[in-house]
Amino acid sequence: MESGKITPEQEVIGVLSGRSEKDPFVVFEELRKKGPVTPIPMTMGDSDNQVWIVTQMEEAKKVLKDNANFCVDSNTINKSSDTKQSLTNSSEETSSKLFLSNSLNALDEPDHRRLRRLVSKAFTPRYMESIRPRVQEIADDLLDQVQEQGEMDIVLDFAYKLPINVISDMIGVPKSQHEQIYEWSEAIANGLGLGRLDDEVADSLDSFSEYFKQLIDEKRKQPSNDLISELIVIEEEGDKLSEKELLSMVQLLIFAGHETTSNLISTGTLILLDSPKQLEMLKNDHSLIPNAVEELLRYHGPSTTAGPRYAIKDIELGGQQIKKGDVLFPLLKAANRDEEVFSNSEDLDVTRDINRHLAFGQGIHMCLGAPLARIEGDIAFTTLLKRMPNLKLSIPRKDVQWQFKLAAQGLSSLPVSF
Ligand code: HEM
């Protein structure tokens, strides 16, 4: 290697941790050219196993879908099924440990299947569609507050508020406490990152957990028409969510549904402002918006990578020999620009016929909230374009600031006039 020159393999570590200044899509393109699976000079914890990134669609899908060879919990690698601990049996842990390790996204089969089946009983397509009017109401309320001003910050006034209010509402958090949930969730998102947990975040995590423990208690005593009350009573074949599982699930729903969907709305708005022809098409035909949401998810989806996967055994993948215990990052944003799968993959095309993108992942861990995120995206862009058709950026384009949270790049602010 030439001294001083940063390789794409080094640069992508900066992209994953938010320290890279380079356009991530340029880095991904360089990496795709090298092959679908590339070793990177990164370590995970104390392990000296190789870390790989997976940048092309076919191989990324394989890692996400092949549960016999890849898992999300590194402990699964050496565990036999009879020693596998369920969440209910695990020893006492702090709120921060609980939050990070025991949720649906961090469990392998059979624990994952059990929890997902239970929670899916609440997340039915019919239920999702039924919340449309409420999402519309929340979107309209937010825009009512800024309509007269003729200007707003898309991030702070709209994109950050819509998903957190929607999910808080669904879960059963009283309206007066939505702001508090938003603040905790922001503090947590700002403090967490790939392989790091800042000390200050622990306090917010504790308050967040304490609040939900109490709320669950209240809902047990006095159930109402909300997700917590539903999750409390859901039972299948005599199986129920334990207290710990319920808490973990509620937190995950709040958390997973907030940052990601906010980024879809704010980054999506910027991308559309950057693409006047595409924006014009949407203004003229709102029926294109659901497809535009899919294209925005493909083109610049909120999650750079799925969670790390661990190889359960030695396996060949994309021409590389992966060893048992090695870590793989399926880079969703890189796979979504795979030129073998999408023609003119670097171009935004809201009329594109998209068969499948990876923005919500694939396989057993595929996003539980995808139908909700799609509804929110659809309503956010439709409402924005209907009510503010003259939307334009009110700062120079070069002054738009990006920020890095939770292994994902989003905007810190997007001032617009309308
Ligand atoms: C545009 C918005 C969203 C994006 C891009 C997104 C993306 C993702 C991705 C990529 C995964 C899979 C991660 C992996 O395989 O390691 C995932 C999982 C998950 N998402 Fe989302 N998500 C979004 C919105 C939501 C919403 C609104 C909710 C909840 C209401 C939610 C709840 C979850 C949950 C619970 C999981 C874990 C599923 C499992 O492990 O079985 N997400 N999401």
Side-chain angles (χ1 to χ4, degrees):
M1 184 186 73
E2 285 170 50
S3 67
K5 188 166 187 305
I6 297 179
T7 64
E9 289 86 342
Q10 291 166 326
E11 192 72 49
V12 80
I13 298 170
V15 170
L16 286 172
S17 59
R19 287 191 300 268
S20 170
E21 298 280 313
K22 209 169 161 181
D23 178 350
F25 293 104
V26 173
V27 182
F28 299 151
E29 193 178 354
E30 286 167 357
L31 287 164
R32 275 196 308 273
K33 280 193 191 131
K34 293 192 162 208
V37 183
T38 310
I40 56 169
M42 178 180 173
T43 47
M44 291 279 285
D46 301 332
S47 151
D48 51 11
N49 280 96
Q50 181 64 56
V51 178
W52 306 83
I53 44 155
V54 186
T55 53
Q56 295 182 17
M57 181 63 87
E58 192 185 321
E59 288 74 14
K61 265 177 18 189
K62 174 147 171 80
V63 174
L64 294 169
K65 291 174 85 167
D66 181 354
N67 307 316
N69 287 305
F70 304 101
C71 58
V72 292
D73 177 1
S74 60
N75 296 316
T76 301
I77 304 169
N78 294 315
K79 252 186 218 168
S80 67
S81 51
D82 52 4
T83 60
K84 207 163 168 55
Q85 269 195 337
S86 87
L87 197 58
T88 334
N89 299 332
S90 58
S91 57
E92 216 29 69
E93 286 165 314
T94 61
S95 302
S96 40
K97 281 216 174 112
L98 248 183
F99 185 82
L100 290 170
S101 62
N102 283 332
S103 45
L104 195 59
N105 57 317
L107 291 174
D108 289 306
E109 306 297 36
D111 297 333
H112 175 270
R113 188 179 314 123
R114 192 190 136 246
L115 281 194
R116 176 104 185 193
R117 205 163 54 189
L118 285 167
V119 74
S120 298
K121 291 190 86 171
F123 268 76
T124 58
R126 183 137 57 105
Y127 172 66
M128 290 296 175
E129 272 311 306
S130 75
I131 59 143
R132 238 177 208 283
R134 185 67 190 119
V135 179
Q136 183 66 60
E137 204 179 314
I138 293 173
D140 278 321
D141 272 358
L142 290 170
L143 295 186
D144 283 349
Q145 289 171 36
V146 294
Q147 186 89 48
E148 292 300 304
Q149 292 166 215
E151 55 182 25
M152 69 167 151
D153 184 337
I154 290 278
V155 176
L156 299 177
D157 295 322
F158 191 53
Y160 266 8
K161 297 279 168 70
L162 179 71
I164 193 74
N165 288 353
V166 169
I167 194 75
S168 295
D169 206 68
M170 281 171 72
I171 280 181
V173 175
K175 204 169 174 186
S176 58
Q177 268 134 34
H178 285 188
E179 193 62 29
Q180 176 64 74
I181 301 298
Y182 168 72
E183 279 167 21
W184 280 326
S185 164
E186 277 302 281
I188 295 165
N190 279 320
L192 292 181
L194 205 65
R196 71 185 169 88
L197 169 61
D198 295 352
D199 284 346
E200 314 87 74
V201 182
D203 287 347
S204 295
L205 277 168
D206 284 343
S207 315
F208 194 68
S209 300
E210 208 36 58
Y211 173 79
F212 280 108
K213 269 186 208 155
Q214 283 177 18
L215 190 65
I216 291 169
D217 247 22
E218 281 166 30
K219 300 284 174 189
R220 250 184 225 293
K221 290 181 197 133
Q222 210 168 9
S224 50
N225 184 21
D226 56 52
L227 215 53
I228 292 188
S229 306
E230 179 103 351
L231 288 170
I232 288 171
V233 297
I234 276 181
E235 207 172 340
E236 191 171 286
E237 294 165 12
D239 191 13
K240 275 177 93 105
L241 292 174
S242 74
E243 196 69 28
K244 239 180 184 177
E245 289 166 341
L246 192 57
L247 178 64
S248 180
M249 184 67 73
V250 166
Q251 290 180 341
L252 178 67
L253 293 179
I254 284 264
F255 201 70
H258 171 37
E259 205 60 39
T260 42
T261 317
S262 300
N263 279 346
L264 166 66
I265 298 167
S266 53
T267 313
T269 306
L270 178 66
I271 293 168
L272 290 174
L273 290 171
D274 279 344
S275 324
K277 280 193 187 140
Q278 302 285 317
L279 181 58
E280 209 46 43
M281 269 195 269
L282 296 185
K283 279 188 202 164
N284 293 334
D285 183 0
H286 292 160
S287 73
L288 283 175
I289 289 177
N291 201 65
V293 169
E294 295 308 314
E295 173 65 347
L296 288 168
L297 284 162
R298 179 201 74 81
Y299 182 77
H300 204 310
S303 309
T304 303
T305 179
R309 299 306 201 258
Y310 300 87
I312 295 174
K313 28 185 129 126
D314 292 356
I315 183 174
E316 189 268 319
L317 182 77
Q320 301 279 16
Q321 287 305 320
I322 311 292
K323 292 248 174 305
K324 175 178 171 178
D326 281 1
V327 184
L328 299 101
F329 283 100
L331 296 193
L332 309 176
K333 281 190 180 176
N336 278 341
R337 299 259 185 130
D338 187 338
E339 25 308 87
E340 295 292 317
V341 180
F342 303 103
S343 55
N344 304 318
S345 65
E346 300 290 332
D347 296 343
L348 179 81
D349 175 2
V350 296
T351 63
R352 187 189 291 274
D353 190 6
I354 307 172
N355 259 335
R356 180 170 293 162
H357 59 66
L358 279 197
F360 291 121
Q362 275 274 304
I364 59 165
H365 291 283
M366 187 171 171
C367 182
L368 178 76
L372 174 61
R374 288 183 159 117
I375 290 172
E376 290 180 294
D378 179 13
I379 290 180
F381 291 115
T382 307
T383 313
L384 208 53
L385 295 188
K386 262 190 194 155
R387 292 185 53 167
M388 290 145 185
N390 298 321
L391 202 71
K392 42 184 177 302
L393 209 55
S394 52
I395 56 169
R397 177 63 177 84
K398 66 173 177 40
D399 293 344
V400 172
Q401 296 287 324
W402 293 88
Q403 65 179 352
F404 192 82
K405 276 189 210 167
L406 284 179
Q409 207 191 19
L411 297 171
S412 49
S413 161
L414 189 67
V416 292
S417 60
F418 41 86

PDB file of all heavy atoms in Angstrom, residues 134-151:
ATOM      1  N   ARG A 134     -54.737   8.040  11.685  1.00  0.00           N
ATOM      2  CA  ARG A 134     -54.040   8.661  12.819  1.00  0.00           C
ATOM      3  C   ARG A 134     -52.697   9.245  12.361  1.00  0.00           C
ATOM      4  O   ARG A 134     -52.298  10.333  12.786  1.00  0.00           O
ATOM      5  CB  ARG A 134     -53.851   7.581  13.907  1.00  0.00           C
ATOM      6  CG  ARG A 134     -53.266   8.071  15.175  1.00  0.00           C
ATOM      7  CD  ARG A 134     -54.179   9.022  15.960  1.00  0.00           C
ATOM      8  NE  ARG A 134     -53.429   9.627  17.059  1.00  0.00           N
ATOM      9  CZ  ARG A 134     -53.213  10.918  17.200  1.00  0.00           C
ATOM     10  NH1 ARG A 134     -53.744  11.773  16.356  1.00  0.00           N
ATOM     11  NH2 ARG A 134     -52.501  11.370  18.199  1.00  0.00           N
ATOM     12  N   VAL A 135     -51.997   8.535  11.473  1.00  0.00           N
ATOM     13  CA  VAL A 135     -50.717   9.040  10.958  1.00  0.00           C
ATOM     14  C   VAL A 135     -50.976  10.347  10.194  1.00  0.00           C
ATOM     15  O   VAL A 135     -50.252  11.335  10.347  1.00  0.00           O
ATOM     16  CB  VAL A 135     -50.021   8.006  10.019  1.00  0.00           C
ATOM     17  CG1 VAL A 135     -48.713   8.554   9.463  1.00  0.00           C
ATOM     18  CG2 VAL A 135     -49.765   6.683  10.749  1.00  0.00           C
ATOM     19  N   GLN A 136     -52.064  10.336   9.405  1.00  0.00           N
ATOM     20  CA  GLN A 136     -52.416  11.537   8.644  1.00  0.00           C
ATOM     21  C   GLN A 136     -52.697  12.716   9.575  1.00  0.00           C
ATOM     22  O   GLN A 136     -52.230  13.841   9.355  1.00  0.00           O
ATOM     23  CB  GLN A 136     -53.653  11.239   7.768  1.00  0.00           C
ATOM     24  CG  GLN A 136     -54.068  12.384   6.868  1.00  0.00           C
ATOM     25  CD  GLN A 136     -53.017  12.680   5.792  1.00  0.00           C
ATOM     26  OE1 GLN A 136     -52.701  11.829   4.979  1.00  0.00           O
ATOM     27  NE2 GLN A 136     -52.442  13.888   5.804  1.00  0.00           N
ATOM     28  N   GLU A 137     -53.420  12.421  10.644  1.00  0.00           N
ATOM     29  CA  GLU A 137     -53.772  13.465  11.619  1.00  0.00           C
ATOM     30  C   GLU A 137     -52.494  14.056  12.248  1.00  0.00           C
ATOM     31  O   GLU A 137     -52.354  15.284  12.369  1.00  0.00           O
ATOM     32  CB  GLU A 137     -54.618  12.802  12.710  1.00  0.00           C
ATOM     33  CG  GLU A 137     -55.535  13.683  13.481  1.00  0.00           C
ATOM     34  CD  GLU A 137     -56.295  12.837  14.503  1.00  0.00           C
ATOM     35  OE1 GLU A 137     -56.805  11.749  14.153  1.00  0.00           O
ATOM     36  OE2 GLU A 137     -56.348  13.258  15.659  1.00  0.00           O
ATOM     37  N   ILE A 138     -51.554  13.182  12.617  1.00  0.00           N
ATOM     38  CA  ILE A 138     -50.317  13.654  13.252  1.00  0.00           C
ATOM     39  C   ILE A 138     -49.498  14.481  12.248  1.00  0.00           C
ATOM     40  O   ILE A 138     -48.971  15.548  12.584  1.00  0.00           O
ATOM     41  CB  ILE A 138     -49.484  12.461  13.812  1.00  0.00           C
ATOM     42  CG1 ILE A 138     -50.241  11.805  14.981  1.00  0.00           C
ATOM     43  CG2 ILE A 138     -48.093  12.907  14.257  1.00  0.00           C
ATOM     44  CD1 ILE A 138     -49.642  10.521  15.523  1.00  0.00           C
ATOM     45  N   ALA A 139     -49.442  14.027  11.001  1.00  0.00           N
ATOM     46  CA  ALA A 139     -48.701  14.777   9.969  1.00  0.00           C
ATOM     47  C   ALA A 139     -49.337  16.152   9.777  1.00  0.00           C
ATOM     48  O   ALA A 139     -48.636  17.183   9.709  1.00  0.00           O
ATOM     49  CB  ALA A 139     -48.698  14.001   8.648  1.00  0.00           C
ATOM     50  N   ASP A 140     -50.665  16.201   9.708  1.00  0.00           N
ATOM     51  CA  ASP A 140     -51.349  17.490   9.518  1.00  0.00           C
ATOM     52  C   ASP A 140     -51.149  18.418  10.706  1.00  0.00           C
ATOM     53  O   ASP A 140     -50.901  19.611  10.527  1.00  0.00           O
ATOM     54  CB  ASP A 140     -52.849  17.271   9.243  1.00  0.00           C
ATOM     55  CG  ASP A 140     -53.105  16.933   7.779  1.00  0.00           C
ATOM     56  OD1 ASP A 140     -52.437  17.531   6.911  1.00  0.00           O
ATOM     57  OD2 ASP A 140     -53.935  16.055   7.498  1.00  0.00           O
ATOM     58  N   ASP A 141     -51.215  17.857  11.911  1.00  0.00           N
ATOM     59  CA  ASP A 141     -50.993  18.666  13.125  1.00  0.00           C
ATOM     60  C   ASP A 141     -49.628  19.330  13.076  1.00  0.00           C
ATOM     61  O   ASP A 141     -49.482  20.516  13.386  1.00  0.00           O
ATOM     62  CB  ASP A 141     -50.997  17.764  14.372  1.00  0.00           C
ATOM     63  CG  ASP A 141     -52.390  17.595  14.925  1.00  0.00           C
ATOM     64  OD1 ASP A 141     -53.315  18.202  14.366  1.00  0.00           O
ATOM     65  OD2 ASP A 141     -52.541  16.829  15.900  1.00  0.00           O
ATOM     66  N   LEU A 142     -48.620  18.557  12.701  1.00  0.00           N
ATOM     67  CA  LEU A 142     -47.247  19.099  12.684  1.00  0.00           C
ATOM     68  C   LEU A 142     -47.127  20.224  11.653  1.00  0.00           C
ATOM     69  O   LEU A 142     -46.519  21.262  11.916  1.00  0.00           O
ATOM     70  CB  LEU A 142     -46.234  17.987  12.371  1.00  0.00           C
ATOM     71  CG  LEU A 142     -46.047  16.941  13.481  1.00  0.00           C
ATOM     72  CD1 LEU A 142     -45.227  15.753  12.987  1.00  0.00           C
ATOM     73  CD2 LEU A 142     -45.367  17.574  14.709  1.00  0.00           C
ATOM     74  N   LEU A 143     -47.725  20.013  10.491  1.00  0.00           N
ATOM     75  CA  LEU A 143     -47.617  21.048   9.461  1.00  0.00           C
ATOM     76  C   LEU A 143     -48.486  22.262   9.803  1.00  0.00           C
ATOM     77  O   LEU A 143     -48.128  23.399   9.462  1.00  0.00           O
ATOM     78  CB  LEU A 143     -47.942  20.486   8.076  1.00  0.00           C
ATOM     79  CG  LEU A 143     -46.939  19.421   7.573  1.00  0.00           C
ATOM     80  CD1 LEU A 143     -47.259  19.022   6.138  1.00  0.00           C
ATOM     81  CD2 LEU A 143     -45.487  19.877   7.678  1.00  0.00           C
ATOM     82  N   ASP A 144     -49.613  22.043  10.514  1.00  0.00           N
ATOM     83  CA  ASP A 144     -50.435  23.178  10.966  1.00  0.00           C
ATOM     84  C   ASP A 144     -49.598  24.149  11.791  1.00  0.00           C
ATOM     85  O   ASP A 144     -49.774  25.368  11.720  1.00  0.00           O
ATOM     86  CB  ASP A 144     -51.581  22.695  11.872  1.00  0.00           C
ATOM     87  CG  ASP A 144     -52.709  22.066  11.073  1.00  0.00           C
ATOM     88  OD1 ASP A 144     -52.698  22.191   9.840  1.00  0.00           O
ATOM     89  OD2 ASP A 144     -53.581  21.409  11.692  1.00  0.00           O
ATOM     90  N   GLN A 145     -48.702  23.580  12.591  1.00  0.00           N
ATOM     91  CA  GLN A 145     -47.917  24.428  13.503  1.00  0.00           C
ATOM     92  C   GLN A 145     -46.934  25.337  12.777  1.00  0.00           C
ATOM     93  O   GLN A 145     -46.458  26.316  13.338  1.00  0.00           O
ATOM     94  CB  GLN A 145     -47.153  23.552  14.504  1.00  0.00           C
ATOM     95  CG  GLN A 145     -48.082  22.912  15.524  1.00  0.00           C
ATOM     96  CD  GLN A 145     -47.363  21.877  16.371  1.00  0.00           C
ATOM     97  OE1 GLN A 145     -46.204  22.034  16.708  1.00  0.00           O
ATOM     98  NE2 GLN A 145     -48.071  20.812  16.689  1.00  0.00           N
ATOM     99  N   VAL A 146     -46.596  25.018  11.532  1.00  0.00           N
ATOM    100  CA  VAL A 146     -45.598  25.846  10.827  1.00  0.00           C
ATOM    101  C   VAL A 146     -46.166  26.529   9.581  1.00  0.00           C
ATOM    102  O   VAL A 146     -45.522  27.422   9.012  1.00  0.00           O
ATOM    103  CB  VAL A 146     -44.358  24.996  10.416  1.00  0.00           C
ATOM    104  CG1 VAL A 146     -43.597  24.517  11.639  1.00  0.00           C
ATOM    105  CG2 VAL A 146     -44.759  23.830   9.523  1.00  0.00           C
ATOM    106  N   GLN A 147     -47.357  26.115   9.169  1.00  0.00           N
ATOM    107  CA  GLN A 147     -47.923  26.594   7.900  1.00  0.00           C
ATOM    108  C   GLN A 147     -47.866  28.124   7.751  1.00  0.00           C
ATOM    109  O   GLN A 147     -47.433  28.650   6.738  1.00  0.00           O
ATOM    110  CB  GLN A 147     -49.374  26.115   7.759  1.00  0.00           C
ATOM    111  CG  GLN A 147     -50.018  26.438   6.423  1.00  0.00           C
ATOM    112  CD  GLN A 147     -49.781  25.339   5.373  1.00  0.00           C
ATOM    113  OE1 GLN A 147     -49.975  24.170   5.649  1.00  0.00           O
ATOM    114  NE2 GLN A 147     -49.351  25.728   4.182  1.00  0.00           N
ATOM    115  N   GLU A 148     -48.293  28.836   8.815  1.00  0.00           N
ATOM    116  CA  GLU A 148     -48.354  30.300   8.755  1.00  0.00           C
ATOM    117  C   GLU A 148     -46.979  30.946   8.624  1.00  0.00           C
ATOM    118  O   GLU A 148     -46.830  32.011   8.050  1.00  0.00           O
ATOM    119  CB  GLU A 148     -49.031  30.844  10.018  1.00  0.00           C
ATOM    120  CG  GLU A 148     -50.519  30.506  10.118  1.00  0.00           C
ATOM    121  CD  GLU A 148     -51.297  31.077   8.945  1.00  0.00           C
ATOM    122  OE1 GLU A 148     -51.216  32.299   8.736  1.00  0.00           O
ATOM    123  OE2 GLU A 148     -51.962  30.304   8.228  1.00  0.00           O
ATOM    124  N   GLN A 149     -45.976  30.275   9.191  1.00  0.00           N
ATOM    125  CA  GLN A 149     -44.617  30.849   9.209  1.00  0.00           C
ATOM    126  C   GLN A 149     -43.986  30.907   7.822  1.00  0.00           C
ATOM    127  O   GLN A 149     -43.087  31.699   7.583  1.00  0.00           O
ATOM    128  CB  GLN A 149     -43.680  30.003  10.078  1.00  0.00           C
ATOM    129  CG  GLN A 149     -43.991  30.037  11.540  1.00  0.00           C
ATOM    130  CD  GLN A 149     -43.265  28.929  12.304  1.00  0.00           C
ATOM    131  OE1 GLN A 149     -43.798  28.408  13.239  1.00  0.00           O
ATOM    132  NE2 GLN A 149     -42.089  28.553  11.905  1.00  0.00           N
ATOM    133  N   GLY A 150     -44.406  30.023   6.949  1.00  0.00           N
ATOM    134  CA  GLY A 150     -43.826  29.982   5.602  1.00  0.00           C
ATOM    135  C   GLY A 150     -42.445  29.354   5.558  1.00  0.00           C
ATOM    136  O   GLY A 150     -41.801  29.314   4.511  1.00  0.00           O
ATOM    137  N   GLU A 151     -41.981  28.893   6.698  1.00  0.00           N
ATOM    138  CA  GLU A 151     -40.685  28.193   6.721  1.00  0.00           C
ATOM    139  C   GLU A 151     -40.657  27.208   7.885  1.00  0.00           C
ATOM    140  O   GLU A 151     -41.421  27.341   8.839  1.00  0.00           O
ATOM    141  CB  GLU A 151     -39.536  29.195   6.850  1.00  0.00           C
ATOM    142  CG  GLU A 151     -39.681  30.106   8.037  1.00  0.00           C
ATOM    143  CD  GLU A 151     -38.555  31.134   8.128  1.00  0.00           C
ATOM    144  OE1 GLU A 151     -37.965  31.461   7.098  1.00  0.00           O
ATOM    145  OE2 GLU A 151     -38.294  31.574   9.262  1.00  0.00           O
TER     146      GLU A 151
END
